[in-house]
Amino acid sequence: MTDESTLLSSKRASVIAPAGCGKTELIARTVNKDTEHRSLVLTHTYAGVDALRKRFKKLGTKTSTYTVDTIAGWSLRLVISFPGTSNIKTSRPRNDQWDSVYIAAAQLLYISAIKSVIQASYDAVYVDEYQDCSPKQHDIVLKLADILPTRILGDPLQGIFDFGDSEIIDWSTHVKPNFEELPQLNVPYRWANKNPDLGEWLMTVRNAFEIGKTIDIRQAPNGCVEFIRQPTDPRSNGNFQRESCMSARCRVNENFLVINSWESQCHKIARMTGGKFRSPETIECNKLFDTAKIIDDASDNKELARLTFEFACFCLTKVKNELGRTAERIFNGTGLQQSRKYKHQQQLVVLEKIAEDGKLSSVYDALLMLKNIQNVAIVRYELFHEMLRSLKEYNTGKHDKLEEAAIIVRDRTRRTGRYPGRYVISRTLLVKGLEFDHVMVFDANILDRTNLYVALTRGSKSLKVVGNSAILNPK
């Protein structure tokens, strides 16, 4: 099995590592051992970035010896640092512009002067979750490998980014001809001190998935995994999932993840649970930027007050029912009756203040005040707090538009990581690379083998699988 010394001794290496077998830990320990050099560590999601940073912090690795980033973020910063040569002018590419960013980044790495910059900045490159690279991202890594020692780690069975028009590398075609293949990691460390039977069973599941065999959950060791049959009537599934989430329990120092296949359903169930479960936002967080732009473009102060209220209703429970009819008096110009004492008077007054002064500082105050209504829960936790941070950033006076401030804030979050919460409901895409104590997987029988494998391997202590059959036969 590959260790730190083996990885360091190879200048152009690849390692396959099943989930929970210490891939991220191996990167962290290798970088920590190589303290005299500076390492560039790349991955795909900022959940992965956060996981790597936590490992480095736990090991006490000097921050001056490593840089952790997503391939997308690092490539973007490279091309906008040389806008004349790369011809990339935007700092916030749309989905259809990313391929141009990657192509430009790879082309820049041909240039001698930029190669020198790379060599002056880093001494080695590590890429985690390599199975999720697109061919164009792979080209960037190949160029980096021509400049610096490069070690890539991944697991072909966890390649889940091949959706829509996205394309990911084929390990045999792209990796094997270009990198020395080091011994595979094969010890399920994630479960060793928590639920070793679960870890061993998941290695069996992996082997079966690799050769196209089915798995019968009922044959798992006792206490290893629980199968729960979902309702046969699809119309009952929403309430069933809500009730399952409401009954989910974990200890104070533990966390609980529910996997659902659909983003809209994740957000819906988070609302149905009254905010008990958080549903993370995508890294793009389009709702944040769309709302910021709409606020920037508000036609007048009353419209700004209305937009503030609508955003609060989107993110918080009960606000619309508690204030809606009265707040409409502010938005339509009727105004509050000065002689009357309203329920939620403070919240209404601060909304009225927006209609009077049109200041984004008042928008910030209003959101805070609306959040503090008794028994109100935040159901879009990350989105709501990113907007608060964006308003605070705007109020520093450094930006002309709220949208500009939101870009800064979202980039900062991507760099520093985020805490997903104690109870989380999400798709595999947003929790890949993360570890939870307890996991429940909804609609397990509709997941393909890569998404199912990722879902099954997130929990270290307990696993519940919900589906219409205990026989897993993913495509």
Side-chain angles (χ1 to χ4, degrees), residues 160 230 237-242 244-245 257-270 272 277-280 424-431 439-444 446-447 451-452 455-456 458 464 466:
I160 62 172
Q230 67 188 33
N237 214 25
N239 283 334
F240 170 78
Q241 292 187 2
R242 181 191 68 81
S244 298
C245 288
L257 168 68
V258 170
I259 297 284
N260 190 293
S261 298
W262 313 107
E263 180 182 9
S264 60
Q265 191 70 4
C266 290
H267 292 319
K268 181 179 179 180
I269 292 174
M272 291 169 70
F277 274 78
R278 293 185 190 176
S279 178
V424 179
I425 181 165
S426 185
R427 297 172 292 156
T428 53
L429 189 66
L430 300 186
V431 295
V439 169
M440 179 161 51
V441 182
F442 285 146
D443 295 315
I446 71 171
L447 295 173
N451 279 283
L452 181 56
L456 295 177
R458 294 309 93 202
K464 296 180 179 181
V466 181

Side-chain angles (χ1 to χ4, degrees), residues 2 25 69 101 104 113 124 159 250 263 268 296 300 305 308 318 331 358 371-372 377 400 404 440 447 466:
T2 301
E25 182 73 11
D69 205 345
V101 171
C250 64
E263 180 182 9
K268 181 179 179 180
D296 284 332
D300 56 36
T308 302
K318 299 186 178 181
F331 311 144
K371 175 181 75 74
N372 290 333
D400 295 326
E404 296 171 4
M440 179 161 51
L447 295 173
V466 181

Side-chain angles (χ1 to χ4, degrees), residues 80 100 196 245 302 375 434:
I80 63 177
S100 298
C245 288
K302 293 183 181 64
N375 296 324
L434 296 182

Side-chain angles (χ1 to χ4, degrees), residues 53-64:
R53 286 198 179 112
K54 287 178 179 175
R55 302 284 176 134
F56 287 132
K57 185 177 181 179
K58 184 178 179 181
L59 291 170
T61 309
K62 293 180 180 178
T63 55
S64 59

